[in-house]
Amino acid sequence: MSVAHVDDEEAAEVGNVEKALPSGDFYTGQWCDGCPHGNGKYLWTDGCMYVGEWFKGKTTGKGKFCWPSGATYEGEFKHGFMDGKGTYTGFSGETYKGTWVMNLKQGEGTISFVNGDYYEGEWRRGFQEGYGRYHWKNGNQYIGQWKKGLINGNGTMIWSNGNRYDGFWEDGFPKGNGTYKWPDGSFFVGIWSKDGKDQNGTYYPSDSPTEKFDWDPQQVFLEDLKDCKICGGEKVSIWPSEKMPNWFAISKEKDGKQRRRSDGSLSGFSMSSDFNGGSVSFGSEGISRHGEGSVGRLHLEDSVARGSYLQLKKPPTRRQGQTISRGHKNFELMLNLQLGIRHSVGRPGPALSLDLKTSAFDPREKFWTRFPPEGSKHTPPHPSSEFKWKDYCPLVFRTLRKLFNIDPADYMLSICGDDALRELSSPGKSGSFFYLTNDDKYMIKTMKKAEVKVLIRMLPAYYNHVRSFKDTLVTKFFGLHCVKLTGSTQKKVRFVVMGNLFCTDTAIHRRFDLKGSFQGRTTAKPEAEIDSTTTLKDLDLNYIFRLQKLWFKEFCSQVDRDCDFLENERIMDYSLLIGLHFREVSTPHTSGVSSPTGNGDCENGEAPRLSEDSNDQLVINSTRQSPVSLGINMAARAEKTVRKNDCQVVGEPTGVMYDVILFFGIIDILQDYDISKKLEHAYKSMQYDPTSISAVDPKLYSKRFRDFIFKVFVEDT
């Protein structure tokens, strides 16, 4: 053990030392090349202390930093910063456990406040931001979106008395479309605003005799939210990175090059950027940051090492469809649709029983409602033209929503909220249009009259099937309606509300629509234009999917049950829609194969290229647990295949594996084998192999579909 002053002239030492600095600070531990390197302990004269790992003079690795106040941080450090997983315990007892980036809370973390409140969820640059849950000591809790430490976005507030608000928030208060519900089942739906003049809505009573006609929505702002203040937490007095000594003082200037100062900065270099609401300056005096939550002075070499945190904000992830805003040709139709659904769902009805009478399925069980612009006894005034609204078998679809655990208020909020629907053009040849809700939960499809008849005809069998098999893969239907425009056109628009198979925070990198037929089953787009929103077809498929043994058995059983149901109902032309999420963007499970790029070039064994946005989303969502069920959020392995000739149904495995998350379901189940399909089959059979075309007898279609799907999905051995 050697004991010396740090300013002594000495050769590079390797081993354990004790060093007394001129400032009075003291270091003991491993030493190499004139600075701490390895495990060591540093004591400052003001009472601060660090014990842990060092790398070339900086706290890097696992360690513990203690403040004179009694506060401590124990966890990971990088380049002098609290960075990685760690726990901060404040002098008052407040505790944060989670991830850090450059001294700031970032990622997933949980904080317990000294007043008894706690928060668990996502953080960004030191503030609650993203998805999180805040629990107050009095039993109230909020679950939903946050921004810069405030409740902001879509979320749910649940009070200890059982009341709850579901809807949108802005700066800690309800703002926009939302629903307030009581434990007895009654609820208030409307537009919320802290300014009572801008607020309006409708109260829907429950079956309970107690009604609340004298209730004022402003009570939520004046009374209910009084005890829902967000605790700010204690401030860190000084950051560990600000305490790091400068071990190297290089002031030599050579050959006219930039001179490195004793603080590690370069002279003659200047630029500025924005970072977390403060400013980051790169100048002749080094790098500094100003603003709340400042990380203090940064060395230039640190900024290079952590350069990714100083990049400009990336553009938002691309969303499918065109928003239906004012001026869009279907804007008025969207308003009519939202008014009608709010009327249908909010209308009081009898107590629900899953045992429905035969009369509920009667095709004549349909109801018209007139919506004049000035309003009526049963309908509100509206800015659109007069229209009529039809509900088909309303009791059946109301019961289906209950069977699928759809909350009526949430359903209305998704479809009839402040945010406009998005219009998707049809990917098929039917000419139908699809509308997607802003939260991606529901898809609305326009229908032909023949499709409506098919759905009503098969509704009893469909109801019994989905009731018997909760993991069915067939499309979930929630409502069947019609809008009839008044005036000279008398146009009727029929549509069905369905569940969106890809309603997930997980990025969908590839989509496949598989029927088991091959005539015309390829994507017309050039490879350069194929992206994550493109729906590929049978001949584009270049993977087989390996499921775990138990999931594979359940998958095969359910596909058989669903196909039997569709075959018995004389349905054909359905398909299995698959969404594919690559869990890793790095090298797949084989040597010498590059990271995923391209549409699946068979020669290089590569998987789809993931955009930067997809990469971000992958990282963000990998920490959040999502429910798993058959066809939803299923972990699997995708093996690359190569189709060596056009006669191959499924390509040959290559051994190149990718860890994936799968989403899949059976869609387009409303096409029966009618006279038009029989004629199509006869015509195409004269031109192509009859077994390769889509329009075939339901029994043959079912067998061919199963044979193909059971080649695409195999057991993972």
Side-chain angles (χ1 to χ4, degrees):
M1 176 78 70
S2 62
V3 180
H5 287 279
V6 75
D7 53 353
D8 289 347
E9 292 291 335
E10 54 186 338
E13 300 178 47
V14 179
N16 292 328
V17 300
E18 292 183 354
K19 295 286 183 180
L21 279 73
S23 62
D25 298 347
F26 183 79
Y27 171 81
T28 177
Q30 293 178 302
W31 188 268
C32 181
D33 290 334
C35 63
H37 187 80
N39 288 301
K41 178 179 180 180
Y42 194 102
L43 299 173
W44 284 267
T45 55
D46 61 4
C48 291
M49 179 180 70
Y50 171 81
V51 180
E53 297 176 336
W54 296 75
F55 182 79
K56 294 183 179 179
K58 292 183 180 176
T59 53
T60 298
K62 294 183 179 180
K64 183 176 182 179
F65 190 95
C66 303
W67 285 263
S69 63
T72 62
Y73 169 82
E74 187 167 3
E76 296 176 337
F77 290 80
K78 290 180 184 177
H79 305 287
F81 297 94
M82 299 153 61
D83 198 308
K85 292 183 178 180
T87 300
Y88 174 83
T89 304
F91 63 87
S92 64
E94 173 184 303
T95 302
Y96 170 83
K97 184 176 183 179
T99 55
W100 302 73
V101 171
M102 294 181 74
N103 292 342
L104 300 177
K105 303 177 185 76
Q106 175 108 355
E108 294 283 333
T110 301
I111 186 167
S112 299
F113 297 100
V114 68
N115 65 355
D117 297 353
Y118 72 84
Y119 168 86
E120 56 182 345
E122 296 177 321
W123 297 76
R124 181 173 172 80
R125 295 178 180 176
F127 297 100
Q128 295 103 322
E129 186 160 329
Y131 184 88
R133 174 173 174 258
Y134 193 101
H135 194 285
W136 284 267
K137 183 181 180 181
N138 59 16
N140 300 342
Q141 60 178 312
Y142 169 80
I143 306 169
Q145 297 294 322
W146 294 73
K147 187 174 182 180
K148 292 186 177 179
L150 294 175
I151 296 173
N152 209 95
N154 195 16
T156 299
M157 178 74 75
I158 304 174
W159 283 268
S160 56
N161 61 8
N163 296 351
R164 62 184 286 166
Y165 169 84
D166 299 88
F168 291 90
W169 299 74
E170 187 176 288
D171 297 334
F173 294 98
K175 177 75 175 197
N177 204 287
T179 303
Y180 190 93
K181 293 184 279 190
W182 288 267
D184 64 4
S186 57
F187 57 92
F188 174 89
V189 179
I191 306 298
W192 294 74
S193 174
K194 198 173 181 182
D195 183 355
K197 297 178 182 178
D198 298 330
Q199 183 160 323
N200 64 78
T202 305
Y203 170 75
Y204 295 93
S206 66
D207 298 332
S208 171
T210 306
E211 296 189 355
K212 309 171 181 64
F213 290 113
D214 58 342
W215 179 77
D216 182 2
Q218 284 296 300
Q219 178 182 326
V220 175
F221 298 93
L222 300 175
E223 299 294 335
D224 294 7
L225 293 174
K226 266 187 177 180
D227 298 326
C228 297
K229 304 295 183 185
I230 306 300
C231 185
E234 64 182 54
K235 301 292 183 182
V236 178
S237 57
I238 190 168
W239 300 103
S241 56
E242 296 180 274
K243 299 291 291 179
M244 290 299 103
N246 292 320
W247 298 99
F248 309 107
I250 303 173
S251 57
K252 296 180 181 179
E253 189 172 2
K254 298 180 180 179
D255 303 325
K257 295 182 179 179
Q258 292 173 324
R259 181 168 58 91
R260 184 175 295 276
R261 300 175 183 273
S262 61
D263 65 354
S265 65
L266 295 176
S267 63
F269 184 83
S270 178
M271 66 177 290
S272 64
S273 180
D274 178 72
F275 186 73
N276 191 28
S279 62
V280 181
S281 301
F282 300 73
S284 59
E285 296 304 317
I287 304 178
S288 63
R289 176 173 174 263
H290 316 281
E292 187 167 347
S294 172
V295 296
R297 294 174 64 83
L298 315 179
H299 298 320
L300 182 62
E301 56 194 278
D302 294 334
S303 73
V304 173
R306 311 295 301 178
S308 59
Y309 297 108
L310 302 179
Q311 293 175 356
L312 296 176
K313 185 178 179 181
K314 294 178 181 178
T317 305
R318 177 185 172 189
R319 303 186 74 186
Q320 279 187 288
Q322 176 187 5
T323 301
I324 305 176
S325 54
R326 188 174 296 278
H328 190 282
K329 64 178 181 178
N330 288 326
F331 179 73
E332 190 167 296
L333 176 63
M334 181 190 72
L335 295 182
N336 297 346
L337 185 154
Q338 292 176 320
L339 284 165
I341 288 181
R342 176 172 287 184
H343 168 76
S344 299
V345 179
R347 183 172 54 197
L352 290 179
S353 168
L354 296 182
D355 297 317
L356 293 175
K357 296 180 179 179
T358 305
S359 58
F361 298 93
D362 192 323
R364 293 170 294 182
E365 193 74 3
K366 47 192 176 186
F367 303 92
W368 282 104
T369 304
R370 190 173 68 92
F371 279 76
E374 66 276 10
S376 67
K377 181 179 179 180
H378 302 290
T379 63
H382 59 87
S384 182
S385 302
E386 180 174 330
F387 68 95
K388 287 185 178 180
W389 174 263
K390 182 193 283 189
D391 282 317
Y392 297 89
C393 300
L395 182 58
V396 177
F397 286 103
R398 185 180 170 204
T399 310
L400 279 171
R401 291 194 293 270
K402 179 181 180 180
L403 190 65
F404 293 134
N405 296 316
I406 302 298
D407 182 86
D410 291 340
Y411 184 70
M412 277 199 287
L413 189 64
S414 291
I415 302 175
C416 313
D418 274 350
D419 295 299
L421 304 178
R422 304 198 307 277
E423 183 179 75
L424 314 177
S425 59
S426 172
K429 301 175 183 178
S430 66
S432 297
F433 281 88
F434 293 86
Y435 302 96
L436 199 59
T437 58
N438 187 67
D439 59 9
D440 291 334
K441 286 184 179 179
Y442 305 105
M443 187 171 283
I444 301 166
K445 177 189 176 184
T446 61
M447 304 177 72
K448 297 177 181 178
K449 186 176 182 179
E451 291 178 306
V452 173
K453 288 183 176 181
V454 171
L455 180 53
I456 293 176
R457 186 206 75 203
M458 65 185 287
L459 199 53
Y462 173 83
Y463 179 81
N464 291 329
H465 183 76
V466 298
R467 184 181 177 186
S468 301
F469 306 109
K470 64 181 182 65
D471 287 329
T472 179
L473 298 175
V474 298
T475 304
K476 292 180 171 62
F477 295 121
F478 304 129
L480 183 61
H481 313 282
C482 176
V483 170
K484 182 179 180 181
L485 305 179
T486 58
S488 57
T489 58
Q490 294 286 306
K491 180 183 177 183
K492 287 184 180 179
V493 181
R494 302 170 184 87
F495 58 89
V496 64
V497 183
M498 308 177 291
N500 178 21
L501 186 61
F502 297 151
C503 177
T504 172
D505 289 334
T506 305
I508 303 297
H509 298 131
R510 274 294 174 266
R511 303 164 192 254
F512 293 96
D513 181 277
L514 307 178
K515 291 187 177 184
S517 60
F518 304 101
Q519 187 57 45
R521 298 294 296 164
T522 186
T523 303
K525 281 187 176 182
E527 184 174 332
E529 296 179 14
I530 294 175
D531 59 20
S532 61
T533 65
T534 303
T535 302
L536 304 171
K537 299 180 182 179
D538 300 68
L539 293 177
D540 303 312
L541 181 67
N542 49 2
Y543 298 99
I544 58 173
F545 304 109
R546 298 188 175 276
L547 303 182
Q548 297 172 5
K549 183 176 181 179
L550 294 177
W551 278 123
F552 179 69
K553 288 183 177 179
E554 179 60 29
F555 170 78
C556 293
S557 298
Q558 192 57 55
V559 169
D560 280 333
R561 289 190 288 256
D562 290 338
C563 287
D564 286 342
F565 157 68
L566 295 171
E567 182 182 328
N568 291 335
E569 292 302 310
R570 302 289 294 167
I571 301 298
M572 44 80 67
D573 215 24
Y574 46 88
S575 57
L576 186 73
L577 182 64
I578 303 175
L580 184 60
H581 169 84
F582 288 89
R583 299 179 69 179
E584 300 290 343
V585 299
S586 57
T587 306
H589 303 312
T590 187
S591 61
V593 179
S594 60
S595 59
T597 57
N599 177 39
D601 186 344
C602 295
E603 295 181 1
N604 61 22
E606 296 173 347
R609 178 180 292 110
L610 309 185
S611 67
E612 291 183 345
D613 292 331
S614 296
N615 288 341
D616 286 348
Q617 196 166 358
L618 178 67
V619 173
I620 291 170
N621 292 309
S622 62
T623 56
R624 187 185 301 174
Q625 297 296 320
S626 300
V628 179
S629 60
L630 186 65
I632 302 296
N633 203 45
M634 286 181 58
R637 294 199 300 164
E639 182 174 1
K640 196 78 177 180
T641 61
V642 176
R643 186 180 281 108
K644 294 187 176 180
N645 59 67
D646 295 339
C647 298
Q648 277 188 289
V649 176
V650 176
E652 296 179 7
T654 63
V656 179
M657 300 281 192
Y658 296 93
D659 290 326
V660 296
I661 299 293
L662 295 179
F663 299 82
F664 53 82
I666 298 175
I667 64 169
D668 295 338
I669 64 171
L670 298 179
Q671 178 61 61
D672 65 349
Y673 194 54
D674 58 11
I675 186 62
S676 65
K677 287 296 178 182
K678 290 178 182 178
L679 291 173
E680 180 184 342
H681 173 76
Y683 175 73
K684 288 187 176 180
S685 294
M686 293 186 292
Q687 299 176 295
Y688 311 106
D689 179 358
T691 62
S692 70
I693 60 178
S694 180
V696 296
D697 178 84
K699 188 171 184 178
L700 176 59
Y701 191 95
S702 173
K703 181 181 184 305
R704 186 180 65 188
F705 178 81
R706 290 187 235 199
D707 290 344
F708 179 67
I709 294 303
F710 292 153
K711 287 183 174 70
V712 174
F713 286 81
V714 297
E715 183 179 335
D716 193 350
T717 57

